[in-house]
Amino acid sequence: MAKGGFFRKAGRLMLKVILWFLAISIGSTILFRFVPIPVTPLMLIRVVEQISDNKKIKLKKDWESLDNISKHLPLAVIAAEDQLFMDHSGFDMKAIEKAIKHNKKKKKIKGASTISQQTAKNVFLWPGRSWLRKGFEVYFTTLIELIWGKRRIMEVYLNVIEMGDGIYGAEKASRLFYGKPAIRMSASEAAGIAAVLPNPRRWSPAKPTSYIQGRKSWILRNMNNLGDQGFD
């Protein structure tokens, strides 16, 4: 095969791959605007880890609409994770700049992911820090900001985020940790769940360490400062 023919064939194949990727990614984003997310890559990864460690499979989740989740929980996760959530378009550029400066000087890597980015990563991607995965994260974050909007992003986030060992979403976490449905969570209980999100398999809102207690108090203060975020 002539060199020119090979490159034309490779180019056509690449174009087909790109078009299929765009069709599938945009189509699935539109679909998930209206239907619950059945399972995420992280959930499947955790199941594989449990099987490889000869542990009992643990995957507990219950989907609830945002109307059936306490108004305190969206406010708590915004206060804890992304205080500019309602104002940015998916990316907090100031936080990204600060993280870049910090990571140049410190060994401990600091992230700057917004709730939108975390949601995109949880629903569509795998954990990791490669540039390829980051590129996909930017793409899917832009998609969900355009197609879902803030309310749906928050609803999905609160239903798929890891909140304990094998525990995903607000409803299951609230019932297991507090013995009540998510809609009845108090501000303090919501802050307790938000406080453990950086490492939910290490910490538990039901048995908070002194560090988590301090973080919970900080979140409650931020919740009071932020006030209503318009999810009612």
Side-chain angles (χ1 to χ4, degrees):
M1 182 185 293
K3 186 179 291 186
F6 169 79
F7 283 118
R8 282 195 298 273
K9 192 170 183 179
R12 286 195 296 269
L13 178 61
M14 181 63 68
L15 179 60
K16 286 182 180 179
V17 170
I18 292 171
L19 290 174
W20 273 108
F21 170 74
L22 290 174
I24 292 171
S25 61
I26 294 172
S28 61
T29 304
I30 293 171
L31 176 66
F32 290 147
R33 169 67 177 82
F34 303 102
V35 303
I37 315 300
V39 69
T40 68
L42 180 62
M43 293 176 190
L44 297 177
I45 288 169
R46 294 292 188 235
V47 168
V48 171
E49 290 174 348
Q50 290 163 2
I51 292 172
S52 63
D53 292 338
N54 294 316
K55 294 180 179 178
K56 184 179 179 181
I57 294 176
K58 188 177 181 183
L59 201 169
K60 298 181 178 181
K61 60 186 181 70
D62 285 319
W63 186 279
E64 285 291 349
S65 71
L66 197 60
D67 291 332
N68 290 329
I69 296 174
S70 168
K71 65 179 182 180
H72 299 299
L73 191 56
L75 182 57
V77 297
I78 289 173
E81 300 284 307
D82 182 6
Q83 294 182 26
L84 296 177
F85 174 69
M86 297 301 290
D87 300 318
H88 62 60
S89 298
F91 308 95
D92 185 341
M93 302 312 297
K94 288 184 178 179
I96 291 172
E97 289 175 8
K98 287 181 181 179
I100 291 172
K101 290 179 181 178
H102 175 275
N103 296 339
K104 285 180 179 178
K105 299 176 182 178
K106 307 289 183 180
K107 290 183 178 180
K108 187 176 180 180
I109 300 297
K110 181 180 180 180
S113 291
T114 62
I115 286 174
S116 301
Q117 288 175 269
Q118 292 178 50
T119 304
K121 178 184 70 175
N122 269 276
V123 174
F124 298 104
L125 302 171
W126 63 95
R129 291 186 177 274
S130 70
W131 286 109
L132 176 64
R133 197 202 62 78
K134 266 296 179 187
F136 281 126
E137 183 182 302
V138 170
Y139 171 73
F140 280 108
T141 299
T142 303
L143 272 189
I144 65 173
E145 282 279 344
L146 289 172
I147 295 173
W148 290 2
K150 296 295 186 181
R151 181 180 174 85
R152 179 60 175 178
I153 290 171
M154 179 58 70
E155 183 173 69
V156 172
Y157 178 82
L158 293 179
N159 274 285
V160 303
I161 194 74
E162 190 175 34
M163 292 185 172
D165 185 16
I167 301 166
Y168 303 90
E171 180 67 18
K172 184 58 70 172
S174 182
R175 289 188 180 276
L176 289 173
F177 295 133
Y178 303 132
K180 62 174 71 173
I183 196 169
R184 290 173 49 200
M185 259 193 285
S186 67
S188 178
E189 290 165 340
I193 284 180
V196 305
L197 290 184
N199 198 336
R201 294 198 295 168
R202 176 183 177 186
W203 298 311
S204 169
K207 298 178 180 178
T209 63
S210 58
Y211 169 74
I212 293 300
Q213 288 282 22
R215 181 169 164 78
K216 178 179 171 180
S217 298
W218 172 79
I219 292 169
L220 283 167
R221 289 194 299 272
N222 284 335
M223 290 168 68
N224 290 329
N225 292 334
L226 287 170
D228 180 47
Q229 295 293 294
F231 289 109
D232 294 339

